[in-house]
Amino acid sequence: MVTAILVGAGQRGYEVYGACALRHGEEVKFVAVAEPDAERRQRFARDHQIPAERVFESWQEILTQPKLADAAVICTQDQMHTEPTLAALKAGYHVLLEKPMSPDAGECIAMGKLAEEYQRIFSICHVLRYSAFFSTIKNIIDSGRIGEVINIKHAEDVGYWHQAHSFVRGNWRNSDETSPMILQKCCHDMDIILWLMNKSCTKISSMGSLQYFKAENAPEGSAMRCTDDCKVKDTCPFNAEHFYLGDKTDWPVSVISADTSLEARRHALETGPYGRCVFHCDNNVVDHQVTNMEFEGGATASLTMCAFTPDPARSIEVMGTKGCIHADMHKFGRDASHNEIFVFDYLTRNLETIEVDDGGVNTGHEGADEQLIMGFVKEVAAHNAQGRTSASRSVESHLMSLAAEKARVENRIVDMAEMWAMG
């Protein structure tokens, strides 16, 4: 049995890590929690039967106690990751940290170094490595079937409604408060590209902007809130009333209010950030961005992220010297558990179609959330086992994201040596 403390009992802490522990009660148990919001704090303590003396308001309180468990799961906001992570590592905890590690390159490097110094298991929530979809692609590449990888083309479709929820109205709308979107949303994708390429990145360029979700694009007759007298709400695809006040009450609707009754949700839209018109928010993150990368030996990769797609989805092409891979992860309303991978052989011109059923979609990220959490639990139980998301590789993929943002803002090519020097 692995015991753990939770720092941050919000959506990911409660609905993902907490729920997984309840499903696997014989293998992992949360024995303490720290959360500043009283309602969320008590809800987590109640569900996990945590006694009052092990329920805390802040990470400072929980991490100044004598060591309470084997591991710490840290799910605070992006800019609040570093201090509790460093404190937990020093206090003797193995750490599972929600991504992104930090919006600061020096802090990312410092966390990785401290984990190595103290010989702690330090895993970052790069859940896509644990999906059957990307694991299958990785196995094909590692088998040598497509030869040496020359180029990777990767695309992340954010989804118009997901962009509006998380990156226009929601917690990650403003990089001054959290982190740039290429880091928050795409550190997953940078990590996948790095994992599949299996070489270090040497330089990066990037372009993109916030083009649509700003005040000058507000339609005539629009209101500051969707619950106000908005003249265009019936023709607006971003109408908050339509999205949040229907029958659906799980994520992302559950984020706007702990009480998911219709009355509570309407009140949240009338008073909170999620009821605002998408053209009248304090958002500054991009709604589209393209990034180009060069790796050791000259191989290249590109990443395209765009808000204006039907639903969240990913697609990838891997071009090798002997063959290539094209793969789609649940695009255009397909069954979310049904993904297709196509492998083409240059010599035989044979095209193989591999259907991947990730299963367990309800556990998040096509079942990968559960695989990551339980993988971390097994590593802790086995002591010093090496998982798929090592600290050193996670640091590198985070630095790639930060380099992409630096390249975009400064309109230049960024050498990765420049990023590593920040540590």
Side-chain angles (χ1 to χ4, degrees):
M1 166 74 74
V2 170
T3 56
I5 64 171
L6 180 70
V7 181
Q11 188 266 325
R12 292 286 294 175
Y14 178 76
E15 295 184 19
V16 178
Y17 307 110
C20 181
L22 293 176
R23 288 191 296 271
H24 297 272
E26 294 182 359
E27 297 175 77
V28 58
K29 178 175 176 55
F30 282 104
V31 297
V33 61
E35 164 58 49
D37 182 277
E39 187 173 6
R40 290 176 176 175
R41 184 169 66 246
Q42 295 305 323
R43 178 180 64 175
F44 192 89
R46 179 189 67 243
D47 289 359
H48 293 265
Q49 299 180 332
I50 298 173
E53 64 270 17
R54 291 195 170 192
V55 178
F56 305 93
E57 292 188 24
S58 69
W59 68 263
Q60 291 92 338
E61 288 181 275
I62 198 170
L63 289 173
T64 53
Q65 304 293 316
K67 187 166 175 274
L68 299 171
D70 303 309
V73 179
I74 298 177
C75 304
T76 54
Q77 286 295 308
D78 298 357
Q79 294 188 347
M80 298 172 61
H81 283 172
T82 304
E83 288 187 283
T85 296
L86 294 176
L89 291 170
K90 290 177 181 177
Y93 293 96
H94 302 295
V95 173
L96 179 64
L97 175 63
E98 185 55 80
K99 62 85 184 170
M101 296 174 72
S102 168
D104 181 270
E107 291 182 354
C108 292
I109 295 169
M111 283 185 275
K113 286 182 176 178
L114 193 69
E116 291 181 359
E117 178 185 344
Y118 281 87
Q119 297 185 324
R120 308 280 189 248
I121 296 168
F122 182 37
S123 293
I124 314 302
C125 295
H126 288 307
V127 296
L128 294 183
R129 288 195 182 203
Y130 288 81
S131 69
F133 179 78
F134 283 110
S135 294
T136 301
I137 295 172
K138 175 66 170 172
N139 289 338
I140 293 168
I141 294 171
D142 288 349
S143 74
R145 285 183 60 185
I146 66 167
E148 180 186 354
V149 175
I150 301 298
N151 177 260
I152 295 174
K153 292 193 296 185
H154 186 62
E156 175 164 11
D157 298 351
V158 179
Y160 71 98
W161 57 266
H162 188 11
Q163 180 81 21
H165 171 77
S166 295
F167 304 103
V168 179
R169 294 174 170 128
N171 290 336
W172 295 280
R173 66 191 181 274
N174 193 302
S175 60
D176 297 330
E177 297 178 5
T178 54
S179 56
M181 191 169 174
I182 193 70
L183 176 67
Q184 207 293 320
K185 190 74 179 79
C186 290
C187 65
H188 278 319
D189 304 281
M190 289 292 195
D191 181 70
I192 285 295
I193 291 171
L194 180 66
W195 189 45
L196 298 181
M197 191 66 78
N198 199 29
K199 297 175 181 177
S200 288
C201 184
T202 56
K203 54 187 175 182
I204 287 183
S205 65
S206 190
M207 295 175 289
S209 65
L210 172 58
Q211 188 166 335
Y212 187 60
F213 297 105
K214 46 190 180 181
E216 56 261 41
N217 292 324
E220 185 177 351
S222 61
M224 297 299 290
R225 285 185 176 272
C226 297
T227 51
D228 295 338
D229 184 22
C230 178
K231 306 300 184 186
V232 297
K233 68 169 63 180
D234 292 338
T235 58
C236 178
F238 305 102
N239 180 357
E241 289 185 323
H242 174 76
F243 186 68
Y244 295 109
L245 300 183
D247 294 333
K248 179 182 174 69
T249 57
D250 58 356
W251 184 89
V253 179
S254 60
V255 172
I256 74 171
S257 171
D259 178 355
T260 57
S261 68
L262 181 60
E263 181 181 2
R265 283 181 282 147
R266 177 168 290 281
H267 178 71
L269 297 189
E270 292 171 344
T271 60
Y274 293 96
R276 295 181 296 179
C277 171
V278 291
F279 302 103
H280 296 294
C281 294
D282 60 339
N283 58 305
N284 69 358
V285 300
V286 301
D287 50 30
H288 66 114
Q289 187 167 350
V290 294
T291 300
N292 294 313
M293 294 152 270
E294 184 178 82
F295 290 79
E296 291 174 336
T300 56
S302 63
L303 169 63
T304 297
M305 173 188 68
C306 187
F308 304 100
T309 64
D311 288 298
R314 287 178 167 91
S315 61
I316 189 167
E317 292 182 68
V318 184
M319 279 70 76
T321 55
K322 294 181 180 179
C324 60
I325 300 168
H326 177 93
D328 289 317
M329 180 179 265
H330 56 84
K331 273 197 165 184
F332 298 107
R334 284 201 314 234
D335 176 1
S337 66
H338 179 74
N339 310 298
E340 291 180 326
I341 299 171
F342 303 93
V343 186
F344 184 79
D345 186 292
Y346 298 150
L347 178 63
T348 64
R349 296 193 62 79
N350 178 63
L351 178 66
E352 180 186 2
T353 302
I354 303 171
E355 293 190 357
V356 180
D357 187 346
D358 273 300
V361 170
N362 291 332
T363 66
H365 289 99
E366 298 75 49
D369 278 341
E370 186 126 345
Q371 294 297 319
L372 178 141
I373 300 161
M374 297 313 297
F376 173 73
V377 168
K378 288 179 173 62
E379 291 163 30
V380 173
H383 303 290
N384 300 321
Q386 181 63 60
R388 294 191 189 185
T389 58
S390 68
S392 60
R393 297 305 273 175
S394 292
V395 170
E396 183 170 1
S397 62
H398 279 66
L399 295 187
M400 288 165 61
S401 296
L402 291 168
E405 183 67 359
K406 189 176 184 67
R408 181 188 75 85
V409 172
E410 298 179 6
N411 192 28
R412 66 181 178 92
I413 296 173
V414 173
D415 192 302
M416 285 301 297
E418 183 181 334
M419 304 303 296
W420 284 106
M422 294 181 180

